[in-house]
Amino acid sequence: MITPDEEKAADQLENSVASSPQESMAQTTREDLSHAGLKHVEGKSASSSLAPSHSLWTSDASGSVHLRIEEGCPEEPITVHQMFNASVEKYGNMHALASKKNNTWEKITFLEYYQFCRRAAKSFIKLGLERFHGVAILGFNSAEWFFSAVGAVMAGGIMTGIYATNSPEACQYVASDSKANIIVVENQKQLDKILQVCDRLPHLKAIVQYSERVQQKISNLFSWEEFMELGLDVSDEQLDDVISSQRANQCCVLIYTSGTTGKPKGVMLSHDNITWTASNASRAGDMQPADCKQESLVSYLPLSHIAAQIYDLWTGIQWGELVYFAQPDALKGSLVTTLREVCPTSHMGVPRVWEKMMEKIREGISQCGYVKKKLIMWAMSVSLEANKKCMQKDEEKPFLFYLADSLVLQRLRAELGLSCCQKFFSGAAPISPETVQFFLGLNIRLYEAYGMSESTGPHFMSGPEAYKLPSCGKVVPGCRYKMANVDSEGTGEICFWGRNIFMGFLNMEDKTREALDEDGWLHSGDLGKVDEGGFLYITGRIKELIITAGGENVPPVPIEEAVKKELPIISNAMLIGDKRKFLSMLLTLKCCANAETMEPTEELSAEAVEFCRELGSQATNVSDIIEGRDKDVYQAIQEGIDRVNSAATSNAQRIQKWTILWKEFSVSGGELGPTMKLRRPVVLEMYHNVIEGLYQE
């Protein structure tokens, strides 16, 4: 039943868009909601929607915090349910989610999406989900993942994603720390992980499997169909009472860090963190509300990471986006096939995804005939030059650019499935200038987002109105920043403030105090500088700074990127030298990956083989180069490093020694995190003996 206030608000909405296509949709949605018997919870004002609080932070799952509401801030705090409620009113009959079943895309509307989430919430309540206890979700992106996430929040729990690549022990840590009452798993593979550790999960009450047939008869293990039937006898009133008790300054989501420097930390995000960021960060990226133009995207990145979760799940609800779910083997090669079918209007990738795409395109170009190859290279150089000039002078692009784009580049973008895409985002890790410039050559602007799990994702963003290379764009409107401990060159630690700043680390008061200073500013640990136009440039990370035995501070990332730019055969370059007399470097070569396991093989990639051929080397495997110390390849690498050294600001910043490792870094190998970010402490430990060998006299 709809309240009088909601009826009045809906009438006002109708009047404001009279004779628009949305008018009948809004009316139909209200009627559908009424017929469905769904009782909407009344909206609350900012003052009544907040739980009592005494601080800007807490480490208690049931705690509440002061919100960083600036004077004159127009957005009132709302819960996740209130955000969804408002979207169903506006977009109820529009398609929301699309899943591929039997080679056909099956779509559901926002109203159906909302109803499925309520059913999931009732089933969680039936299973005994306790307030502020976790619902852990372990598996690949799907509609069921979304229903579980939103349903967990509606039912008063805390939604907790677990990386699908986690070991059983890592799963156990997250589930135990979040006091998970229910764990939702994708398939038998993920179920097996939980079964190995369930005796160490005292809060666990049930497991739900959402894909594949349940193979085992185990008490409190439910198929998705069984799960969705469980809560049918839970009344709307009972669920609405739980929803009504929720406040915008309470925790609803946990994001676990990768734990590269210790135990993973549970980043507590409030309803307001989620709803405010979903609304404001997407505006900076020019995402459009569905009543203007419905955006579409493909969901494939890990939803346990804040970047994908904000982009796919919460922003999708906020603005009425149509989300297509990729196949589980998306990163093994099927992503482009899905992109071609869907033709999304917006696409996000972590840097390694864009790099892999770049490598695939280059491989395809290398196999073209002479004339076609020359035509593509010409078109890309015209596009790169035109895009660079437009950034500097904001002038009209020349006719030659439009000719190159229509004749060549449009077809290349279509082959990637990006022919209709207007917004391209990169986040979760720094992206190399080489990759950015390559895509500019395809007339694709990669908008870089910079932030942390602790800032609910993006705090700075590039976009159509804030684009300048090699910056991360400008601060998201409504957020603030300051630079701490600024040096003579204007470089300092980047600190964040805003409605997006997290509540605290779960059960870790000491770590929370380390992250937030006395005034509540979040210290990022990243070093950067801001130019006169407000554009942010990341220069390094405090914890990654190498301090040599001579006391020289060396930021590793610029040197590593320079080496990879000089040497197209190199996939990973990691600088070593903390407390050492000189710098050395670990290198890996670009290799093919096993199509099933995604583990790197010894076989060199097509680009790496071409690099060798141009030198006169016949190498096709890593062993061909290392075992025989291929003089052509080794000499070329040394010459590339010499060129990087020639640009060094001091002798202390020169690479004195280097070595090639036998295999590429990978997620499965442990050297890379789930978002392909280099795990430096892990690499240092794994290759300790190799590193020590570089420093033996």
Side-chain angles (χ1 to χ4, degrees):
M1 179 173 179
I2 299 172
T3 67
D5 285 346
E6 286 172 323
E7 190 69 46
K8 182 180 178 182
D11 290 339
Q12 289 173 344
L13 175 64
E14 281 190 277
N15 293 335
S16 68
V17 292
S19 73
S20 73
Q22 283 74 41
E23 181 176 359
S24 60
M25 183 184 81
Q27 176 64 32
T28 306
T29 301
R30 287 199 310 279
E31 291 172 356
D32 286 345
L33 288 168
S34 180
H35 293 155
L38 300 183
K39 175 186 175 184
H40 276 206
V41 179
E42 286 192 54
K44 301 177 180 65
S45 67
S47 58
S48 65
S49 66
L50 302 181
S53 58
H54 307 287
S55 173
L56 288 169
W57 64 268
T58 181
S59 57
D60 181 1
S62 62
S64 51
V65 295
H66 288 323
L67 299 182
R68 293 167 167 81
I69 299 177
E70 306 278 315
E71 189 174 340
C73 182
E75 296 98 350
E76 289 192 346
I78 59 172
T79 63
V80 164
H81 180 267
Q82 287 171 311
M83 176 177 74
F84 205 162
N85 215 16
S87 291
V88 172
E89 288 284 349
K90 289 182 284 187
Y91 316 125
N93 290 334
M94 298 182 74
H95 285 133
L97 306 178
S99 307
K100 198 167 190 182
K101 306 283 176 65
N102 300 319
N103 290 320
T104 302
W105 285 104
E106 297 181 0
K107 299 177 181 178
I108 64 169
T109 65
F110 275 92
L111 176 59
E112 291 168 325
Y113 181 7
Y114 176 83
Q115 291 170 334
F116 279 126
C117 292
R118 284 185 66 98
R119 280 188 63 182
K122 289 180 179 182
S123 294
F124 285 136
I125 290 173
K126 183 72 173 183
L127 287 172
L129 175 62
E130 299 170 63
R131 194 79 168 90
F132 301 114
H133 280 239
V135 171
I137 312 173
L138 173 61
F140 188 74
N141 310 19
S142 68
E144 292 84 0
W145 211 109
F146 278 30
F147 301 152
S148 300
V150 181
V153 174
M154 284 184 176
I158 298 178
M159 188 277 280
T160 307
I162 301 180
Y163 286 109
T165 54
N166 271 13
S167 66
E169 291 68 29
C171 294
Q172 184 270 332
Y173 176 83
V174 171
S176 177
D177 192 56
S178 62
K179 295 183 179 179
N181 289 150
I182 297 107
I183 300 179
V184 181
V185 299
E186 177 187 2
N187 51 26
Q188 185 68 39
K189 178 183 176 181
Q190 303 297 358
L191 173 62
D192 287 342
K193 294 179 184 178
I194 303 305
L195 294 179
Q196 286 183 48
V197 299
C198 62
D199 59 336
R200 288 181 275 154
L201 298 173
H203 301 282
L204 184 61
K205 298 182 179 182
I207 305 172
V208 179
Q209 184 176 321
Y210 65 81
S211 182
E212 298 180 1
R213 186 175 60 84
V214 174
Q215 298 176 11
Q216 296 153 281
K217 291 288 185 182
I218 300 173
S219 175
N220 293 325
L221 169 63
F222 302 91
S223 69
W224 183 258
E225 293 73 19
E226 291 168 339
F227 166 70
M228 290 294 273
E229 296 292 319
L230 287 174
L232 290 179
D233 60 348
V234 175
S235 68
D236 285 327
E237 288 73 21
Q238 185 178 349
L239 174 58
D240 288 333
D241 284 345
V242 176
I243 291 172
S244 295
S245 72
Q246 295 169 19
R247 299 292 180 263
N249 59 338
Q250 293 173 328
C251 184
C252 66
V253 169
L254 275 173
I255 301 289
Y256 276 85
T257 62
S258 58
T260 55
T261 57
K263 288 183 178 179
K265 298 187 288 288
V267 177
M268 298 168 58
L269 300 178
S270 69
H271 288 265
D272 187 63
N273 287 150
I274 296 294
T275 57
W276 189 91
T277 304
S279 174
N280 287 268
S282 51
R283 286 176 184 163
D286 197 37
M287 298 295 279
Q288 299 295 310
D291 47 7
C292 295
K293 176 189 175 183
Q294 188 176 32
E295 302 277 9
S296 59
L297 58 94
V298 173
S299 176
Y300 70 101
L301 292 172
L303 290 165
S304 42
H305 191 278
I306 189 58
Q309 196 177 122
I310 279 289
Y311 180 77
D312 299 5
L313 173 56
W314 304 119
T315 302
I317 292 173
Q318 168 67 36
W319 296 118
E321 298 165 1
L322 173 53
V323 178
Y324 290 82
F325 293 103
Q327 298 304 301
D329 61 351
L331 293 176
K332 297 179 182 178
S334 71
L335 175 61
V336 170
T337 303
T338 303
L339 291 172
R340 286 176 187 154
E341 291 180 15
V342 170
C343 292
T345 64
S346 174
H347 185 63
M348 181 177 72
V350 296
R352 193 63 186 132
V353 167
W354 293 113
E355 288 169 13
K356 287 289 187 184
M357 205 175 276
M358 174 177 71
E359 291 165 10
K360 201 72 177 173
I361 298 168
R362 282 178 170 169
E363 184 179 334
I365 293 172
S366 71
Q367 295 171 358
C368 291
Y370 178 80
V371 174
K372 188 175 181 181
K373 186 187 294 186
K374 283 291 184 183
L375 183 63
I376 293 172
M377 299 311 292
W378 165 78
M380 290 182 68
S381 64
V382 168
S383 174
L384 178 59
E385 184 178 354
N387 275 296
K388 280 184 172 180
K389 281 186 178 179
C390 285
M391 276 186 283
Q392 294 166 358
K393 300 181 181 179
D394 198 27
E395 61 184 34
E396 188 70 26
K397 290 175 181 173
F399 170 75
L400 200 60
F401 162 80
Y402 293 104
L403 183 66
D405 193 66
S406 60
L407 286 178
V408 182
L409 302 181
Q410 281 184 5
R411 295 181 185 180
L412 283 176
R413 293 195 297 272
E415 286 179 20
L416 295 173
L418 301 175
S419 56
C420 299
C421 200
Q422 298 171 330
K423 291 172 279 286
F424 309 85
F425 299 100
S426 179
I431 190 165
S432 71
E434 178 196 4
T435 306
V436 171
Q437 296 209 20
F438 177 86
F439 280 98
L440 275 180
L442 296 177
N443 196 26
I444 289 175
R445 281 188 174 190
L446 294 182
Y447 297 139
E448 190 167 5
Y450 164 69
M452 310 167 66
S453 300
E454 294 90 330
S455 63
T456 322
H459 200 86
F460 287 80
M461 278 195 71
S462 294
E465 305 302 320
Y467 189 75
K468 187 176 181 181
L469 296 180
S471 81
C472 301
K474 296 183 177 182
V475 69
V476 169
C479 297
R480 289 196 282 141
Y481 72 92
K482 71 175 183 179
M483 311 301 285
N485 304 315
V486 179
D487 64 17
S488 58
E489 296 180 354
T491 299
E493 183 184 10
I494 307 155
C495 301
F496 301 157
W497 179 278
R499 295 267 291 273
N500 57 334
I501 303 306
F502 77 137
M503 299 175 68
F505 294 121
L506 179 64
N507 306 322
M508 291 185 176
E509 181 176 334
D510 56 337
K511 295 294 184 182
T512 304
R513 290 182 182 276
E514 285 178 22
L516 299 170
D517 65 23
E518 291 182 358
D519 297 320
W521 285 85
L522 171 63
H523 286 245
S524 69
D526 290 319
L527 296 170
K529 60 173 65 177
V530 178
D531 68 14
E532 64 283 354
F535 288 91
L536 174 70
Y537 303 83
I538 306 297
T539 59
R541 183 157 179 80
I542 293 173
K543 290 180 180 177
E544 289 178 357
L545 267 183
I546 291 172
I547 304 176
T548 66
E552 179 101 6
N553 285 12
V554 181
V557 174
I559 298 173
E560 293 162 351
E561 292 299 334
V563 168
K564 288 193 285 186
K565 183 178 180 181
E566 288 289 343
L567 298 164
I569 194 174
I570 301 299
S571 59
N572 294 282
M574 180 168 150
L575 198 65
I576 309 293
D578 198 47
K579 301 180 182 67
R580 305 277 190 174
K581 292 180 180 179
F582 59 85
L583 299 181
S584 61
M585 182 168 275
L586 302 180
L587 302 173
T588 68
L589 306 181
K590 289 180 179 175
C591 293
C592 300
N594 181 294
E596 289 301 315
T597 64
M598 291 306 291
E599 291 183 5
T601 67
E602 199 202 359
E603 182 186 353
L604 295 175
S605 70
E607 186 180 6
V609 170
E610 184 180 5
F611 179 88
C612 293
R613 294 292 178 275
E614 290 175 357
L615 299 174
S617 168
Q618 298 304 307
T620 58
N621 294 303
V622 176
S623 58
D624 295 339
I625 295 172
I626 295 179
E627 286 182 355
R629 287 192 65 85
D630 188 305
K631 63 180 180 61
D632 295 321
V633 175
Y634 272 76
Q635 183 179 335
I637 291 176
Q638 185 59 59
E639 288 172 356
I641 286 177
D642 288 344
R643 290 191 294 273
V644 172
N645 284 341
S646 68
T649 55
S650 69
N651 265 337
Q653 298 205 15
R654 293 173 181 265
I655 304 161
Q656 304 294 341
K657 290 186 179 182
W658 53 272
T659 189
I660 302 172
L661 301 177
W662 281 90
K663 69 181 184 74
E664 241 190 308
F665 294 163
S666 65
V667 175
S668 57
E671 300 97 340
L672 303 179
T675 56
M676 308 294 186
K677 194 181 292 184
L678 182 61
R679 302 173 74 187
R680 293 177 189 272
V682 174
V683 174
L684 288 173
E685 185 175 339
M686 287 178 67
Y687 297 97
H688 173 77
N689 292 338
V690 175
I691 294 167
E692 289 304 315
L694 291 170
Y695 289 94
Q696 288 176 357
E697 295 294 331

